Amino acid sequence: MLLLIWWNMDLINAAGTIAPFTSPRHGFPLVVGGVIKPVASLAYVDDAKRYVAMAKMLHTMEEFFSTVQGYCDLLADLSLVIKMGRNVRKCTIYLYNIPEGTVVLTFTSIAWSYDSQGSVKGTIKTVTMHRDPEGNLICYDVPKHLRDSSSPNVQHILAQRKYLGVSTNAQLDGTEGKDKILKKLAQRIGLISKKSDSVQETKIAHNMLVCQVATFSPICISMSLAECADIDKQLLKAYQYKLKYMPTDAKHNIFVSEKRGGIGVKSFIREYVGGALRDVEVYITDADSLPAHALQASIAEATKQCLWNLHQANMLPTPSATASRAEQLTISGRKT
């Protein structure tokens, strides 16, 4: 505990002010209802993240880069103190909202290495997302067969990486990661339907597989109802004969419970929506928890985005209070 508190010291203050766990310094700010809560990782484990956010109106890019390097140094010091080996090649720094044309520094880290039985200095891979002079976030849409010939930074931006959920790229686009999960799910559905020896065994294996995917962090998966329906169509095709259905039978009865005269397997749509509602109910009812605050902030920003989209499409009634409020919204654009 003492080491973690020490690791979370305020680097801007040379005297080493201790930042409390309730308000981590330089955390990524989530604002909802006038309440600001910073998010920062306090754990030194695999897949841990550290968020550093600084107001661009109050600090220069040099100060921001210095703070980022400072946290890299502090993380390295923790590795040296407790002699926990760390592979710098697995570390990545993601920089967002960097003005176009800014020269990004090379970030380094000195950490303990088991292979060398000592400290080793390495360069940390850095992925940078720029904004143009108009404030638009610069994104890229490069076909897969052309990505190898694109610049290294573009390749790093479009590369998939996974953190507690579906893999995404630096643009936070989870399309490829979601497609990968759905393909694996379809393959395993085929194996289950072929290798089970009885209807009961098929149902048990189905519930273990499909319900687990549907209820595992459904908010992070972010699937549409149409995509959930496509999975249910795959289930119908795979299970209809295994579950003793005839070609003339109504296939949707597969998802009707045994108590109501069906076979009794669960549909992906019902499990996914149920999992999302349970997550919302558990988190959003605890106003003091960070996940609840993050969820409320996400809902507030999504609502603002939808309202802004309607305003841009001239689909809001005028004159109205909603249209007036939408005119005052400021949503940063994306340029692909």
Side-chain angles (χ1 to χ4, degrees):
M1 182 63 71
L2 178 61
L3 287 174
L4 288 177
I5 295 178
W6 167 71
W7 176 39
N8 202 37
M9 292 167 61
D10 186 359
L11 295 180
I12 289 184
N13 186 345
T17 302
I18 300 297
F21 284 109
T22 55
S23 180
R25 303 300 173 91
H26 305 123
F28 185 79
L30 291 176
V31 184
V32 60
V35 179
I36 300 178
K37 288 189 177 182
V39 181
S41 170
L42 296 178
Y44 185 71
V45 295
D46 287 346
D47 294 331
K49 283 190 175 182
R50 176 82 198 196
Y51 295 94
V52 179
M54 300 172 65
K56 63 180 181 181
M57 300 299 294
L58 303 177
H59 301 277
T60 64
M61 292 303 303
E62 289 74 16
E63 291 175 327
F64 174 69
F65 291 151
S66 177
T67 302
V68 173
Q69 180 61 61
Y71 276 115
C72 294
D73 295 339
L74 197 55
L75 177 61
D77 293 342
L78 180 62
S79 170
L80 295 173
V81 170
I82 63 179
K83 289 194 169 45
M84 178 178 286
R86 181 167 57 86
N87 188 350
V88 71
R89 290 176 297 179
K90 295 183 178 180
C91 300
T92 307
I93 294 176
Y94 293 92
L95 302 177
Y96 287 89
N97 303 324
I98 305 300
E100 193 175 10
T102 301
V103 178
V104 179
L105 302 180
T106 299
F107 299 100
T108 60
S109 179
I110 301 176
W112 180 263
S113 171
Y114 281 113
D115 295 335
S116 303
Q117 286 299 299
S119 59
V120 174
K121 182 178 181 179
T123 300
I124 304 176
K125 182 175 69 175
T126 303
V127 181
T128 307
M129 292 289 294
H130 295 280
R131 285 193 181 273
D132 63 11
E134 288 74 32
N136 298 310
L137 185 66
I138 301 176
C139 300
Y140 300 90
D141 184 11
V142 182
K144 290 185 178 180
H145 65 281
L146 297 177
R147 292 182 183 179
D148 292 340
S149 59
S150 58
S151 65
N153 187 58
V154 173
Q155 294 183 36
H156 293 328
I157 290 175
L158 298 177
Q160 295 290 310
R161 86 263 198 234
K162 186 175 180 181
Y163 177 73
L164 299 180
V166 177
S167 59
T168 60
N169 55 31
Q171 299 173 167
L172 304 182
D173 180 10
T175 303
E176 294 183 15
K178 186 165 53 179
D179 290 342
K180 187 176 181 180
I181 283 184
L182 297 183
K183 288 180 181 178
K184 288 185 176 180
L185 181 61
Q187 293 174 354
R188 284 166 173 77
I189 288 173
L191 293 175
I192 288 176
S193 63
K194 292 178 181 178
K195 293 188 176 182
S196 54
D197 297 324
S198 65
V199 172
Q200 185 66 23
E201 183 181 346
T202 299
K203 289 193 296 183
I204 294 174
H206 160 83
N207 291 335
M208 290 176 62
L209 172 65
V210 175
C211 297
Q212 199 173 45
V213 175
T215 58
F216 173 71
S217 192
I219 294 179
C220 294
I221 295 177
S222 185
M223 296 182 63
S224 66
L225 290 180
E227 291 169 329
C228 293
D230 288 338
I231 295 178
D232 278 339
K233 290 179 181 178
Q234 295 179 14
L235 300 178
L236 292 173
K237 184 177 180 180
Y239 290 155
Q240 57 180 330
Y241 300 115
K242 194 65 180 179
L243 297 179
K244 313 300 182 183
Y245 272 77
M246 299 298 292
T248 55
D249 291 334
K251 303 303 185 297
H252 67 271
N253 284 340
I254 292 177
F255 301 128
V256 179
S257 66
E258 292 180 348
K259 295 180 180 179
R260 300 185 179 181
I263 297 296
V265 300
K266 297 179 179 180
S267 72
F268 191 90
I269 290 180
R270 184 174 65 181
E271 292 304 310
Y272 179 84
V273 173
L277 292 177
R278 283 191 295 271
D279 275 2
V280 171
E281 181 182 11
V282 169
Y283 289 129
I284 210 167
T285 53
D286 185 3
D288 295 330
S289 73
L290 188 57
H293 190 82
L295 182 59
Q296 291 175 6
S298 177
I299 294 174
E301 290 301 316
T303 303
K304 184 192 300 183
Q305 179 72 55
C306 291
L307 184 61
W308 186 78
N309 291 340
L310 292 173
H311 171 67
Q312 292 296 108
N314 295 321
M315 298 179 66
L316 294 176
T318 55
S320 66
T322 302
S324 300
R325 189 168 70 252
E327 290 179 356
Q328 300 175 1
L329 294 177
T330 302
I331 303 293
S332 61
R334 290 166 61 100
K335 185 172 69 175
T336 303

